[in-house]
């Protein structure tokens, strides 16, 4: 009887001339993070950082049409800023910008909040009516501004026609210095209300319904439930709504330019329209002062943004 024994095969030996293959190391998480951030960083650099740098450079140099093409504009420092501060248009433009922004924000938020509370009741046709209120927000600004220009026309406008039917004389909405700013404010409020409605309505949906039921059992009326529950719990949503509305309203240009072009006699001129008129509205454009006015708007928006961030941090810590 013979017993067969099996031997294990000899281990493979590498040839003397071949070098051992190095092991691949896994990719560093840092490189993966930079790969994901690269598109966003490139986008922000090309479309935000570089335009801001160019605008700052324009405001610090004496650019003309020739020097703008050849790139040999002399450096003037803050001369363009001193020029716009000494300009007689600066004070009216500052006042109009402040009034336009403040009035639009107050009425857009108040009307949007009232409509959001109204539609939060979820009655029949609530969704349909809420969708109809979004039409002004979805229309192009040039269409909205042109429609309001036709409605407020002194001779053939539908608004003056309705006023005439009520026994009120015609109002020169777009051609009177007393009414031009009011006209563009009304148009901008109409355009901005749907945005406030959508954001505030979404905030109302996040409030638990049990709070209202408990308050009703305790005898709280509708007005008390609004001030004690709805309004305090909507503060975070209200803050971001007002901030975004502020940034948008500061830079409103299309509506004012289409309806009044900042006139008559600069009665509806804001920083946005003034900056455009300085840079592109004259035969001899003033690129430097126009860029300086634009930078003032950027600084104003940045200041309010920092204030918002600081308030949010304090609320989070408290």
């Amino acid at each position: 009887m013979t017993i067969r024994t099996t031997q294990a095969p000899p281990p493979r030996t590498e040839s003397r001339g071949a070098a051992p293959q190095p092991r691949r190391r896994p990719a560093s998480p840092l490189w993966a993070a930079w790969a994901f951030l690269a598109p966003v960083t490139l986008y922000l650099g090309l479309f935000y950082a570089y335009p801001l740098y160019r605008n700052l450079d324009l405001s610090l140099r004496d650019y003309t049409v020739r020097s703008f093409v050849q790139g040999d504009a002399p450096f003037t420092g803050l001369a363009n800023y001193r020029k716009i501060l000494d300009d007689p248009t600066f004070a009216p433009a500052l006042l109009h910008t402040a009034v336009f922004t403040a009035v639009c924000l107050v009425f857009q938020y108040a009307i949007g909040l009232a409509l959001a509370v109204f539609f939060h009741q979820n009655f029949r046709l609530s969704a349909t009516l809420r969708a109809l209120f979004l039409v002004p927000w979805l229309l192009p600004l040039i269409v909205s501004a042109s429609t309001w220009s036709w409605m407020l026309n002194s001779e053939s406008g539908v608004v003056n026609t309705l006023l005439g039917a009520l026994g009120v004389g015609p109002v020169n909405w777009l051609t009177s210095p007393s009414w031009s700013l009011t006209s563009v404010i009304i148009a901008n409020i109409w355009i901005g209300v749907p945005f406030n409605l959508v954001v505030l309505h979404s905030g109302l949906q996040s409030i638990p319904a049990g709070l209202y039921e408990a308050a009703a059992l305790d005898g709280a009326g509708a007005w008390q439930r609004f001030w004690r529950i709805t309004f305090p719990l909507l503060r975070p949503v209200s803050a971001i709504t007002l901030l975004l509305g502020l940034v948008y309203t500061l830079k409103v240009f299309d509506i004012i330019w289409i309806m009044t072009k900042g006139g008559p006699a600069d009665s509806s001129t804001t920083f946005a329209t003034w900056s455009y008129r300085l840079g592109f509205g004259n035969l001899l454009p003033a690129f430097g002062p126009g860029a300086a006015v634009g930078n003032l708007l950027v600084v104003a928006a940045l200041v309010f943004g920092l204030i918002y961030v600081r308030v949010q941090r304090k609320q989070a810590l408290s």
Side-chain angles (χ1 to χ4, degrees):
M1 181 176 179
T2 59
I3 300 176
R4 297 180 179 179
T5 59
T6 58
Q7 295 181 355
R12 296 181 180 180
T13 57
E14 298 178 354
S15 59
R16 295 181 180 180
Q21 295 292 332
R23 295 182 179 179
R24 292 184 177 181
R25 296 181 180 180
S28 174
L30 183 61
W31 284 105
W34 277 111
F36 282 106
L37 287 176
V40 179
T41 305
L42 183 62
Y43 173 80
L44 293 177
L46 289 178
F47 296 101
Y48 286 90
Y50 180 71
L52 286 175
Y53 163 74
R54 288 293 299 159
N55 201 60
L56 180 62
D57 182 69
L58 281 173
S59 66
L60 298 178
R61 296 181 181 273
D62 184 17
Y63 272 97
T64 60
V65 176
R66 183 188 62 82
S67 61
F68 188 84
V69 175
Q70 296 180 356
D72 57 348
F75 181 80
T76 58
L78 300 178
N80 289 322
Y81 291 92
R82 290 192 295 267
K83 185 176 181 179
I84 63 172
L85 290 177
D86 295 335
D87 195 301
T89 309
F90 177 80
L94 176 62
L95 177 62
H96 297 158
T97 303
V99 172
F100 180 83
T101 304
V103 175
C104 288
L105 280 181
V106 171
F107 279 91
Q108 286 174 355
Y109 177 79
I111 299 174
L113 180 59
L115 292 174
V117 174
F118 175 72
F119 287 119
H120 188 57
Q121 301 175 8
N122 292 326
F123 55 90
R124 183 180 296 180
L125 298 180
S126 173
T128 303
L129 293 176
R130 191 168 67 249
L132 291 177
F133 270 97
L134 297 180
V135 172
W137 192 29
L138 299 177
L139 288 176
L141 289 178
I142 188 172
V143 175
S144 301
S146 300
T147 303
W148 276 100
S149 297
W150 169 75
M151 292 173 59
L152 297 176
N153 187 275
S154 302
E155 299 178 357
S156 59
V158 64
V159 175
N160 276 348
T161 302
L162 294 176
L163 292 177
L166 298 175
V168 181
V171 178
N172 297 322
W173 295 100
L174 304 177
T175 58
S176 172
S178 303
W179 289 100
S180 59
L181 185 61
T182 304
S183 302
V184 295
I185 288 176
I186 293 174
N188 191 65
I189 290 174
W190 180 78
I191 294 173
V193 164
F195 171 76
N196 289 261
L197 168 61
V198 170
V199 179
L200 294 174
H201 186 267
S202 64
L204 286 174
Q205 291 179 332
S206 64
I207 300 177
L211 296 177
Y212 295 103
E213 297 175 359
L217 292 176
D218 291 338
W223 190 250
Q224 291 178 330
R225 291 196 297 269
F226 174 78
W227 281 111
R228 299 296 178 88
I229 298 176
T230 303
F231 194 72
L233 294 180
L234 273 181
R235 285 179 181 175
V237 180
S238 299
I240 190 62
T241 304
L242 291 173
L243 175 65
L244 294 177
L246 173 68
V247 174
Y248 167 78
T249 309
L250 278 174
K251 65 181 183 63
V252 167
F253 164 78
D254 314 66
I255 302 168
I256 302 175
W257 191 258
I258 293 173
M259 293 181 65
T260 65
K261 288 185 170 57
D266 292 334
S267 58
S268 59
T269 296
T270 61
F271 277 173
T273 58
W274 188 29
S275 175
Y276 177 83
R277 191 173 61 192
L278 287 173
F280 304 98
N282 299 317
L283 294 177
L284 296 176
F287 295 114
V293 176
N295 285 333
L296 294 181
L297 286 176
V298 173
V299 171
L302 180 62
V303 168
F304 284 108
L306 293 176
I307 293 175
Y308 168 76
V309 172
R310 185 177 182 87
V311 171
Q312 289 295 100
R313 287 181 178 178
K314 286 185 177 181
Q315 291 180 355
L317 293 176
S318 61

